[in-house]
């Protein structure tokens, strides 16, 4: 389960019922007083279930949040539509045109195939995924919440002009660009078992975004990137931080690695906002992950 979690760093000085809940929950906060926003909408739920590999998971999660009364502790954020210009903040016009009008002759050129098969209305799907993350980012920029969550986001493999690893659009990169309207230093944290290659590549030449990824890296394991030697280029040199682990990593190892590297990175970079990709495929029992982390 991928998700996207955005948080400002203050240390740096059913469908019809859903719509009503968004309006009624605008001033809700949890027991700690922390204002946590949750992006949700009927269209976002429907579109997020159109890919076979992840069909129904966002709806299942929303139902779980509702049945456990967690929704009552969240500020439900209305989804704001995304535009073609939003997609073009990162993706090439040729790629966006392909999403709109697929051409089988160019399928391989744009990364489509087994992991990312062509399906109907791909452009609408991409716009919907981006709309959720941009809505989360905007809520932080406007100061409506301290933390914003888009559980339909986190598509970290897509490149500027190609789909990859079930990811048809890189909502994270586009969301970070939106956050940069207010926040000068953005730290991206990728906790997915797979390396966040698409996001790292997008910001590998800037010192305004620090990417930090803990992931599995071994011969034959997708995407095959994320070694300690990948540190960025030019002004972005040393602003890409990778911690590759082998199959079988457990809670103790993961915690040790995180606690030994993350605080130092934060201290050195002084981020104003965090963007966190919380892929759950590192949990024990995942068919593709290979880690032994517990919930």
């Amino acid at each position: 389960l991928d998700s996207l979690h955005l948080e400002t760093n203050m240390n740096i000085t059913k469908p019809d019922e859903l719509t009503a809940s968004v309006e009624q929950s605008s001033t809700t906060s949890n027991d700690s007083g922390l204002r946590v926003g949750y992006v949700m909408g009927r269209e976002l739920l429907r579109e997020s279930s159109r890919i076979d590999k992840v069909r129904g998971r966002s709806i299942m999660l929303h139902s779980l949040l509702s049945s456990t009364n967690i929704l009552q502790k969240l500020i439900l954020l209305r989804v704001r539509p995304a535009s073609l210009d939003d997609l073009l903040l990162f993706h090439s016009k040729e790629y966006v045109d392909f999403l709109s009008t697929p051409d089988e002759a160019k399928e391989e050129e744009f990364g489509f195939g087994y992991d990312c098969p062509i399906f109907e209305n791909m452009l609408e799907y991409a716009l919907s995924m981006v709309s959720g993350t941009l809505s989360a980012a905007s809520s932080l920029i406007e100061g409506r919440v301290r933390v914003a969550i888009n559980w339909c986001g986190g598509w970290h493999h897509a490149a500027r002009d190609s789909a990859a690893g079930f990811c048809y659009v890189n909502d994270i990169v586009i969301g970070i660009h939106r956050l940069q309207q207010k926040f000068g230093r953005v730290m991206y944290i990728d906790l997915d078992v797979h390396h966040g290659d698409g996001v790292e590549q997008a910001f590998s030449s800037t010192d305004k975004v620090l990417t930090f990824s803990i992931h599995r890296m071994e011969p034959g394991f997708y995407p095959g990137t994320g070694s300690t030697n990948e540190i960025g280029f030019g002004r972005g040199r040393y602003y890409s931080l990778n911690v590759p682990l082998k199959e079988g990593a457990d809670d103790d190892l993961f915690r040790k690695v995180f606690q030994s590297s993350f605080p130092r990175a934060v201290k050195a970079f002084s981020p104003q906002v965090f963007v966190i990709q919380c892929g759950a495929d590192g949990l024990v029992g995942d068919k593709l992950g290979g880690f032994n982390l517990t919930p």
Side-chain angles (χ1 to χ4, degrees):
L1 177 65
D2 293 338
S3 68
L4 195 64
H5 172 115
L6 303 90
E7 178 178 351
T8 53
N9 184 0
M10 301 306 289
N11 294 325
I12 301 300
T13 328
K14 277 142 193 188
D16 293 335
E17 296 174 345
L18 178 62
T19 301
S21 297
V22 171
E23 297 170 351
Q24 294 169 5
S25 302
S26 59
T27 59
T28 302
S29 62
N30 58 28
D31 295 338
S32 67
L34 182 66
R35 293 173 62 81
V36 180
Y38 168 46
V39 179
M40 187 45 57
R42 288 176 291 177
E43 184 70 16
L44 183 59
L45 275 177
R46 181 167 56 249
E47 288 292 330
S48 67
S49 293
R50 292 182 59 206
I51 299 180
D52 288 339
K53 299 292 185 180
V54 297
R55 191 178 303 280
R57 70 180 187 183
S58 295
I59 296 175
M60 178 179 63
L61 176 59
H62 182 76
S63 298
L64 181 62
L65 293 174
S66 179
S67 63
T68 55
N69 295 322
I70 293 178
L71 280 182
Q72 297 179 9
K73 301 179 182 294
L74 302 175
I75 299 171
L76 299 186
L77 303 172
R78 187 184 299 277
V79 179
R80 305 175 188 180
S83 67
L84 289 178
D85 286 339
D86 291 325
L87 295 183
L88 293 171
L89 286 172
F90 174 57
H91 293 289
S92 67
K93 184 179 184 302
E94 292 75 15
Y95 180 71
V96 173
D97 288 343
F98 183 87
L99 291 176
S100 176
T101 309
D103 181 351
E104 290 187 3
K106 298 181 178 180
E107 180 175 334
E108 185 175 350
E109 175 184 348
F110 290 108
F112 289 83
Y114 174 73
D115 283 349
C116 299
I118 292 175
F119 60 91
E120 292 184 358
N121 301 318
M122 290 190 297
L123 180 61
E124 286 73 13
Y125 168 81
L127 287 169
S128 185
M129 296 304 100
V130 169
S131 70
T133 296
L134 288 181
S135 298
S138 294
S139 71
L140 291 181
I141 291 173
E142 296 163 3
R144 296 175 57 200
V145 295
R146 171 77 177 276
V147 177
I149 300 171
N150 174 25
W151 263 301
C152 297
W155 304 102
H156 59 169
H157 292 307
R160 180 176 181 271
D161 53 6
S162 65
F166 312 133
C167 302
Y168 292 77
V169 63
N170 202 313
D171 62 297
I172 304 173
V173 172
I174 295 172
I176 289 176
H177 281 309
R178 174 65 60 85
L179 288 169
Q180 288 179 315
Q181 293 179 2
K182 179 176 181 178
F183 304 104
R185 296 182 302 280
V186 181
M187 183 170 183
Y188 171 67
I189 304 161
D190 196 308
L191 303 180
D192 194 288
V193 74
H194 301 94
H195 177 231
D197 56 339
V199 182
E200 180 185 290
Q201 291 168 11
F203 298 108
S204 61
S205 298
T206 178
D207 58 359
K208 303 301 182 182
V209 179
L210 173 66
T211 61
F212 174 71
S213 179
I214 304 177
H215 49 269
R216 178 182 169 191
M217 183 183 180
E218 294 181 278
F221 188 75
Y222 185 86
T225 57
S227 73
T228 55
N229 294 326
E230 296 176 28
I231 58 176
F233 307 92
R235 294 184 62 180
R237 188 173 177 83
Y238 304 121
Y239 287 84
S240 297
L241 178 59
N242 289 297
V243 185
L245 303 176
K246 295 186 179 299
E247 182 179 7
D250 58 12
D251 293 345
D252 290 339
L253 177 59
F254 198 93
R255 185 182 301 109
K256 180 180 180 181
V257 167
F258 187 87
Q259 292 178 344
S260 65
S261 53
F262 176 72
R264 288 187 294 170
V266 172
K267 182 177 180 180
F269 184 60
S270 295
Q272 294 172 305
V273 64
F274 296 100
V275 176
I276 310 171
Q277 201 274 15
C278 302
D281 46 7
L283 296 178
V284 62
D286 187 272
K287 296 180 180 179
L288 299 177
F291 277 2
N292 290 313
L293 306 180
T294 58

